[in-house]
Amino acid sequence: MSGVESALNVEHTIGVPLHSDLQPVDMQDQDQDHVNPFPQPSRDISDLFNPPKDLAVMRQRLFEARDKIELRVEEFELYWPYIDNVWVRQHRAGTDKSGRNTTDYYACRLQRPTYTPKDVDKPRPEGKPTRKKQIREGGTCQMRVKTIRYNGGYSGITIMQVGDQTQHSHDLDHMDKIKRTTVLMDIARSEVMKGYMPASVFTVMSKYVDRLDESGGRYLSRNDIRNASQAWRQIYREPLRVHEGYKYDHGNGIVVMNDQEHTVDPTSSSAFIPSPNSLRFPEECRGFLEPYLPPTGLVANENGFPHVTLTYATSMDSCLSIAPGLRTSISGPQSRAMTHYLRSRHDAILIGVGTATADDPALNCRLEGVGGYGGVGWEGQPRPVIIDPSARWLITPQSKVLSTVQEGKGRGPWVIVAPGFAMDPARLEMLKYYGGKYLGLTDFDKRWRLRWEAILKALAAEGIKSVMIEGGGMVINELLQPEHAQFISSVIITTAPKYLGRGGVMVSPHMRHDASGKPQAVAEFKNVSWNPLGEDIIMCGRIGKIEEGPPLFPI
């Protein structure tokens, strides 16, 4: 007798025929005075055929938890049930003083001790079948993670490792073999509660192996289907049926009728739908930028500074805007898309308070596929950083940078200030509410300006490994001075085919002189490449050391 026939015979013993002309079980037909202890599961077979985007990748990431993972609450609730065969919640640490952060701790399922069934099990309640218990593996993995749920101007969950063990003693496939996920068991229970036989549910779920594998169901068995619905079948004993388009074939079990496909289209999984207002920067346009961008797996350099990319768009007369305080569109659409790609490759984006006040920028990334624009969490979204020594930036909930936070399309800003300036407590609290904060620095240069060395080291101390500096004019001109060249890793400058005219905000650092008083070039670029992009020209390079030489205008 085949395994399927055996399974079907078991179902016959409780009065379950194999005919497909029976109606699904209707919960409303039960006694209305009886409270239904088995509410309909929230998932059904369509969740198997239409899994979340990049499910297999997300399961592996949540299993390894190598790097900090940030998800929106709805994304966490979507993906976590696909990995709960691995992680078991140990305890809740509670909520912090702000009332916004709630922490939970999880341990690998194999951390708990090995379980060996007793020779004599305690009696089961009347009407419940005897459970066949097996030895449960345990005590072999000490991997742990914690989740921090934030509720404020946005809602999100951060997942990170805790404890000494940084990787599992086993792989994800091993966990899928010994334990099924909540999603799979809910799907199985849902289908049986619709009136379908466990053997039929198993046949339908097993038809699409790839979808089952990425959901963690490679080792799903008929017994799993029965176990998922066993308690329900003890109360509801109505006849069950096979799925539409399937039939019982003696000797072969439940098979597809006339090579028909299941009514759910397995190719209609969560397709990528571009977010409105997103930008595209094609792969074939990115190659020339790669040598000048932060490398994968970047760590701070030997001096403790992050990778710094200085980038801006200028007219042919070296203007950033047509007049002070007036926002000016300079570059073309391809270059603007490139700028958002550059943002996606950096941990932070930095501007001065003048630009923040004049432009009210969103300071986020709108590249197609990043977090908020088709991606998960806030991946690809840089941290906005505003240099505001005197704390004069009057940020409000209506500021674009905070509006993007509320929409889940950007991160809360960090504002770098100098101590001694009176801060409005309401502003401090508002910035925290949106996930931002103020960073106070006390390291000044001879002109009583915050030193760039201190700014960059402070960002590195906060975990920022790469910074994209976009402006404005004062920031750019200052960083192009020779004493700051050591902080700049690369320069990416867009030149648009237009003149803005005199009176604009220019990129033109103060002139330098050598020891004899002769004028000298301020900055010189090395390893330069010139690349057309649409109507613009993109210059990529690195700042070289200025060597003393003959005067610029020899006689």
Side-chain angles (χ1 to χ4, degrees), residues 29-282:
D29 291 339
Q30 305 298 326
D31 185 355
Q32 296 297 315
D33 295 330
H34 178 68
V35 177
N36 179 18
F38 302 103
Q40 188 70 24
S42 59
R43 297 180 177 88
D44 59 24
I45 199 71
S46 64
D47 291 285
L48 177 64
F49 298 133
N50 302 304
K53 182 176 178 286
D54 298 327
L55 176 57
V57 174
M58 285 301 300
R59 289 194 75 233
Q60 190 64 38
R61 287 186 61 193
L62 291 171
F63 170 76
E64 296 174 351
R66 289 182 179 176
D67 301 311
K68 181 172 67 175
I69 302 172
E70 296 175 303
L71 300 175
R72 295 175 179 80
V73 172
E74 59 270 23
E75 292 170 339
F76 178 84
E77 293 173 348
L78 177 65
Y79 286 107
W80 193 256
Y82 285 94
I83 199 69
D84 63 2
N85 60 330
V86 176
W87 300 112
V88 179
R89 192 170 80 173
Q90 289 184 309
H91 68 279
R92 170 165 288 180
T95 304
D96 66 1
K97 293 181 180 179
S98 71
R100 301 188 190 120
N101 294 286
T102 303
T103 303
D104 288 321
Y105 287 87
Y106 292 81
C108 176
R109 186 173 296 276
L110 296 187
Q111 185 185 85
R112 60 189 183 182
T114 298
Y115 170 78
T116 303
K118 299 178 181 179
D119 294 335
V120 179
D121 200 0
K122 59 182 179 181
R124 301 283 291 165
E126 183 178 356
K128 292 192 175 181
T130 302
R131 298 177 61 185
K132 295 181 180 180
K133 296 184 178 181
Q134 299 178 343
I135 295 177
R136 184 184 67 205
E137 177 185 357
T140 61
C141 185
Q142 301 301 315
M143 181 80 167
R144 298 172 64 230
V145 298
K146 69 177 179 180
T147 63
I148 304 173
R149 178 170 183 152
Y150 181 82
N151 286 307
Y154 70 97
S155 295
I157 294 181
T158 301
I159 305 158
M160 63 181 69
Q161 290 187 10
V162 292
D164 297 329
Q165 188 164 328
T166 59
Q167 62 183 17
H168 291 279
S169 59
H170 51 86
D171 57 18
L172 180 56
D173 184 73
H174 179 71
M175 295 305 300
D176 289 343
K177 185 175 183 179
I178 65 176
K179 183 69 176 179
R180 309 294 172 257
T181 67
T182 294
V183 172
L184 291 172
M185 299 303 275
D186 275 356
I187 292 172
R189 186 180 303 109
S190 170
E191 290 300 293
V192 175
M193 290 176 68
K194 290 177 184 178
Y196 295 121
M197 297 166 49
S200 180
V201 174
F202 175 76
T203 301
V204 173
M205 292 181 70
S206 301
K207 184 172 179 59
Y208 301 101
V209 178
D210 291 343
R211 295 292 166 83
L212 199 60
D213 279 358
E214 67 177 336
S215 299
R218 176 178 299 181
Y219 303 100
L220 186 74
S221 67
R222 296 179 183 85
N223 282 335
D224 292 326
I225 311 297
R226 293 195 199 93
N227 291 340
S229 59
Q230 185 181 64
W232 180 80
R233 286 297 288 159
Q234 295 302 311
I235 297 177
Y236 301 101
R237 294 178 172 269
E238 287 75 10
L240 303 180
R241 63 189 179 111
V242 298
H243 284 78
E244 293 77 5
Y246 291 79
K247 67 177 180 179
Y248 173 65
D249 183 30
H250 186 71
N252 295 311
I254 295 176
V255 298
V256 179
M257 293 171 46
N258 302 323
D259 295 327
Q260 294 182 20
E261 293 295 327
H262 190 263
T263 54
V264 178
D265 180 8
T267 64
S268 62
S269 63
S270 304
F272 175 75
I273 302 175
S275 175
N277 302 319
S278 63
L279 301 173
R280 295 192 64 197
F281 189 62

Side-chain angles (χ1 to χ4, degrees), residues 292 308-312 314 318 469 475-482 484-495 507-509 521-530 538-547:
Y292 306 93
V308 175
T309 303
L310 180 63
T311 180
Y312 57 91
T314 179
S318 196
I469 299 180
V475 169
I476 294 170
N477 286 322
E478 189 173 326
L479 283 172
L480 287 174
Q481 293 293 334
H484 298 136
Q486 60 178 316
F487 305 132
I488 308 301
S489 307
S490 58
V491 177
I492 300 176
I493 302 172
T494 300
T495 302
V507 175
S508 184
V522 177
E524 184 175 336
F525 300 110
K526 306 291 186 181
N527 307 121
V528 170
S529 69
W530 297 86
I538 314 298
M539 190 211 78
C540 304
R542 306 185 191 283
I543 298 181
K545 183 178 180 181
I546 299 296
E547 302 291 344

